[in-house]
Amino acid sequence: MPEPVGPVGFVFGGGGVLGAYEVGMARAVLHHGIRPDLIVGSSIGAFNGAAVAAAPDEHVAERLTELWASPQARTVYGDSLPRQLSRFARRTHLHSPAPLRRMLERELGEDTTFADLKVPFQCCAASIERAAEHWFSSGRLVDAVLASSAVPGLLPPVHLGNEHFIDGGIVNSVPVGRAVALGARTVFVMQVGRVERPLRPPRRPWDVAQVAFEVARRHRFARELQETPEDVTVHVLPTGGGSPKDDSPLSYRKVELARGRIQRAYEATGAYLEALG
């Protein structure tokens, strides 16, 4: 593809284990020699984005692929059903945050700060007390990524300073506007594929919250795309097609599907970039 106009921004959106698609997209973009000048991420995109910001080359995609398919990734939501129900009865979440924190500390470095990263990086979380989005750009990286990834009901809020933070996808799931505000003139959007699929009214009780969240997610994403200045180019990268398993209520636990998702997105994004000329 032609040399993108800089600064180049990478946007990593939210989507749980479907974030594996983003790894394939990032691998394809980096393989084509495109390097980011800034990176923003939300929810699982905070982790993927932080990893790329720490090592912005194709090798990071290989490492992330191994991680996504590893036994360590399975431990994040690996509690047994009885243990989940017991915790939920006493608290407000199904899973302990300890496995995710251990994985983040191992992969990103326990004491790594934003200033240590090779590419400027920011990640989004939602402040409970202020009912507002909050952007982390300094301090300990692991704390910020954990806050951005604290899915309500699955993981507890993260207490930092005088506030409690939950998943950034609640307030800004695919933060294109943030990348533009930070100066990006070419934006590559790594997303999990939900915006590619038709949205229909809920048919089952467990569909209600998912559909409501998707309406909010897509509304903001569509608005930010429409408000993008004319001198900014946005590439929403393809996943290569989803799977019915992507929409399962328990899909957030199915990390064993990661390799297939990564490969499909890699091939589809590579073809997309080649078609640009």
Side-chain angles (χ1 to χ4, degrees), residues 14-15 173-174 192 194-195 213-222:
S173 185
V174 190
V192 302
R194 288 186 174 129
V195 298
F213 182 59
E214 278 301 306
V215 169
R217 177 206 306 266
R218 298 185 191 194
H219 169 74
R220 175 157 188 173
F221 179 55

Side-chain angles (χ1 to χ4, degrees), residues 63-76:
R63 184 164 59 83
L64 284 172
T65 298
E66 294 306 313
L67 175 63
W68 271 87
S70 70
Q72 289 79 14
R74 292 186 177 89
T75 66
V76 173

Side-chain angles (χ1 to χ4, degrees), residues 44-107:
I44 191 58
F47 170 64
N48 286 336
V52 174
D57 57 54
E58 195 174 355
H59 296 296
V60 71
E62 297 172 6
R63 184 164 59 83
L64 284 172
T65 298
E66 294 306 313
L67 175 63
W68 271 87
S70 70
Q72 289 79 14
R74 292 186 177 89
T75 66
V76 173
Y77 295 130
D79 291 328
S80 66
L81 183 58
R83 183 174 293 178
Q84 291 178 54
L85 295 177
S86 174
R87 183 180 289 113
F88 200 63
R90 293 178 287 110
R91 301 178 185 174
T92 61
H93 51 280
L94 291 174
H95 300 282
S96 166
L100 178 57
R101 178 176 285 278
R102 285 194 296 268
M103 189 178 76
L104 292 176
E105 289 176 346
R106 183 172 56 251
E107 295 302 316

Side-chain angles (χ1 to χ4, degrees), residues 9 22 29 63 108 126 136 139 144 151 176 220 230 238 243-244 258 262 276:
E22 298 176 355
V29 172
R63 184 164 59 83
L108 300 176
F136 291 96
V151 182
V176 173
R220 175 157 188 173
E230 292 184 0
S243 160
I262 291 169
L276 293 177

Side-chain angles (χ1 to χ4, degrees), residues 197-248:
R197 299 198 296 276
L199 192 61
R200 299 181 177 88
R203 292 177 296 174
R204 297 158 296 190
W206 51 84
D207 291 336
V208 176
Q210 182 180 21
V211 170
F213 182 59
E214 278 301 306
V215 169
R217 177 206 306 266
R218 298 185 191 194
H219 169 74
R220 175 157 188 173
F221 179 55
R223 187 187 70 202
E224 292 194 349
L225 287 180
Q226 291 173 352
E227 294 174 350
T228 300
E230 292 184 0
D231 63 339
V232 175
T233 301
V234 179
H235 299 282
V236 181
L237 302 177
T239 61
S243 160
K245 294 180 181 179
D246 289 351
D247 296 317
S248 164

